[in-house]
Amino acid sequence: MARLAGASLVGTAIEFFDFFVYGTAAALVLGPLFFPTFSPLAGTLAAFGTFAIGFVSRPLGSVLFGHVGDRYGRRPVLFASLLLTGCATVAVGCVPTYGTIGIAAPVLLLVLRFLQGLGLGGEWGGAVLLTAEHAPANRRALWSSFPQIGPSIGFLLANGVMLALSAGLSDAEFRSWGWRVPFWAAGVLAAVGLLLRSSLAETPQFEKLSAAGRTAGAPLAEVAREHWRLVLLTAGALAVGYATFYAVSTWALAYGTERLGVSSTVMLTCVMAAVAIKGATTPFVAMLADRWGRRPLCLAGCAASALWMFPMVALLHTARPFLMFLGFLGALLAFITMFAVVAAYLPELYEPRVRCTGAAVGYNLAGVLGGALTPIAATALSDGGSGPPWGVAAYLTVVALVSLGCFALLPETLPSKAGAERRAEPEPASA
């Protein structure tokens, strides 16, 4: 289990490095480089628009790779998704700016960001199921939480490289070529991830399904026909997690640098410190889920998010590093109270034959609802006025309340409480 969890964590970290480095670049440099004819606000909105395309394509990636995972196995998904995301990320670092090739530059960004999201949409389902379907029932949340640490590591790597480059280079050098370096580094990281995943075994549950002839012929159709309500509920429930994380890691970064005049180095440091603590607490929260259940922690995280959004915005507006850090930390601890658990929770909600498709589609639809829209909506809501952007706080609070309602409608799946182990075994083949 340690080897499997480690390989899942490393691969997920690499893929989220690829995804996050684009978000940081969008907040810091992509607007003026690829949309120079726009005003600063419009340029930022346009850059976040290309950022959002990656979330729109993630559900499509879930469908594509979910079909592969449910029909042919979880293992092939891990290779194909990592390869696609890595290649697209390296290519982003090679795209000429608007000043060189004109309108073709932002068009290429859109295409490559779409491919990034397509690959990441498959990664989460494959990595999570690899650990969840190998893990013993009484430690499933703990082992499944390791892929959930990957996004924190990927974020720290992406922003650490950006921080070092922005601090070590002049502004002209950073805008000229420095921002491209993390994208080029993605090629090396992808090669490492593919090597680590080359020796992984298929999950026992899929092997049993395959041997019994019970794999789904058309997983998406089966999910749409029999589990559509569950998909919508899980997407709505997880939307607040995405909204919170990208409000902190993307919108707040742009707001702090552009509106409050805080240096990008200070903003990145505050966000990175909060993300590091969030990542370190992930397995401890997961252990609570193995003891007390998945749903109670998710409800607690949602409630905490709803209560913390206004304090977070107030602390951000002070422009004082320590207070901003506290605001970000409170939001991310509420976030991880939910997201440390969902890697075990979502697979347990779906029957094994459509689990890769159902869990991944629900998870990535939440990304569209919460992650794609939040930087754009928050940037628009924070335009104008000299006081704290309370509109952003209100928007995030509403999202949290909607997610709270969705979680309230979902069942508990902790095996000792819900008998989920009986569902986890494939049904015998028909006579």
Side-chain angles (χ1 to χ4, degrees):
M1 281 309 307
R3 182 174 61 85
L4 288 167
S8 293
L9 185 155
V10 170
T12 306
I14 292 168
E15 290 227 35
F16 275 90
F17 168 87
D18 297 350
F19 202 74
F20 287 145
V21 78
Y22 191 101
T24 305
L28 297 179
V29 297
L30 294 188
L33 291 178
F34 288 87
F35 304 94
T37 60
F38 291 19
S39 68
L41 174 63
T44 300
L45 285 170
F48 283 154
T50 63
F51 173 77
I53 289 295
F55 286 96
V56 173
S57 62
R58 280 174 66 169
L60 298 178
S62 301
V63 171
L64 173 64
F65 289 105
H67 180 88
V68 174
D70 284 325
R71 186 151 178 77
Y72 303 105
R74 320 317 191 191
R75 190 171 177 270
V77 172
L78 298 175
F79 291 92
S81 61
L82 182 56
L83 184 63
L84 176 59
T85 307
C87 290
T89 306
V90 172
V92 169
C94 300
V95 175
T97 62
Y98 186 95
T100 304
I101 61 173
I103 193 63
V107 170
L108 284 173
L109 274 188
L110 283 170
V111 172
L112 294 171
R113 181 62 175 173
F114 181 89
L115 293 176
Q116 267 192 327
L118 204 68
L120 193 62
E123 163 66 23
W124 186 85
V128 163
L129 292 191
L130 184 77
T131 51
E133 293 187 344
H134 275 99
N138 64 336
R139 290 289 181 270
R140 185 174 294 138
L142 172 61
W143 288 115
S144 299
S145 72
F146 281 85
Q148 296 297 80
I149 302 173
S152 297
I153 296 174
F155 182 87
L156 292 173
L157 285 174
N159 287 276
V161 173
M162 282 290 192
L163 179 61
L165 289 167
S166 63
L169 300 174
S170 67
D171 185 64
E173 289 172 330
F174 182 72
R175 290 177 179 270
S176 174
W177 58 269
W179 68 272
R180 299 181 183 272
V181 173
F183 292 92
W184 296 335
V188 177
L189 294 176
V192 172
L194 290 170
L195 180 64
L196 287 173
R197 289 181 167 183
S198 62
S199 61
L200 298 180
E202 186 53 78
T203 69
Q205 288 189 10
F206 181 81
E207 288 181 339
K208 290 178 181 178
L209 280 171
S210 182
R214 298 290 298 170
T215 56
L220 179 62
E222 193 168 326
V223 168
R225 184 175 61 251
E226 300 179 12
H227 304 288
W228 61 270
R229 182 177 179 272
L230 184 57
V231 169
L232 294 179
L233 282 177
T234 52
L238 299 179
V240 64
Y242 281 99
T244 299
F245 187 84
Y246 287 101
V248 170
S249 65
T250 303
W251 167 74
L253 183 60
Y255 181 83
T257 55
E258 294 174 8
R259 291 289 304 279
L260 302 179
V262 181
S263 74
S264 59
T265 301
V266 170
M267 290 302 303
L268 282 171
T269 301
C270 291
V271 175
M272 288 171 63
V275 170
I277 295 173
K278 177 200 74 126
T281 60
T282 301
F284 299 101
V285 175
M287 286 191 285
L288 295 177
D290 277 325
R291 181 173 178 82
W292 302 109
R294 304 7 175 164
R295 189 166 168 269
L297 287 173
C298 291
L299 291 171
C302 266
S305 295
L307 293 172
W308 188 248
M309 292 301 102
F310 278 90
M312 183 194 77
V313 166
L315 291 169
L316 168 64
H317 194 71
T318 66
R320 297 179 181 178
F322 182 69
L323 294 180
M324 291 191 296
F325 159 73
L326 289 180
F328 299 153
L329 180 61
L332 292 183
L333 289 179
F335 159 85
I336 205 58
T337 303
M338 297 173 280
F339 271 58
V341 175
V342 296
Y345 195 16
L346 262 65
E348 290 171 345
L349 286 168
Y350 292 88
E351 58 181 305
R353 58 185 278 114
V354 294
R355 182 174 284 162
C356 195
T357 300
V361 169
Y363 186 84
N364 287 297
L365 275 178
V368 178
L369 298 175
L373 299 178
T374 294
I376 298 172
T379 299
L381 289 169
S382 60
D383 182 36
S386 57
W390 299 124
V392 177
Y395 169 81
L396 294 172
T397 301
V398 169
V399 174
L401 292 174
V402 170
S403 292
L404 184 65
C406 291
F407 270 125
L409 295 173
L410 290 172
E412 179 56 70
T413 62
L414 183 67
S416 62
K417 291 185 177 181
E421 283 303 288
R422 292 192 297 273
R423 289 181 55 195
E425 296 298 325
E427 299 173 11
S430 299

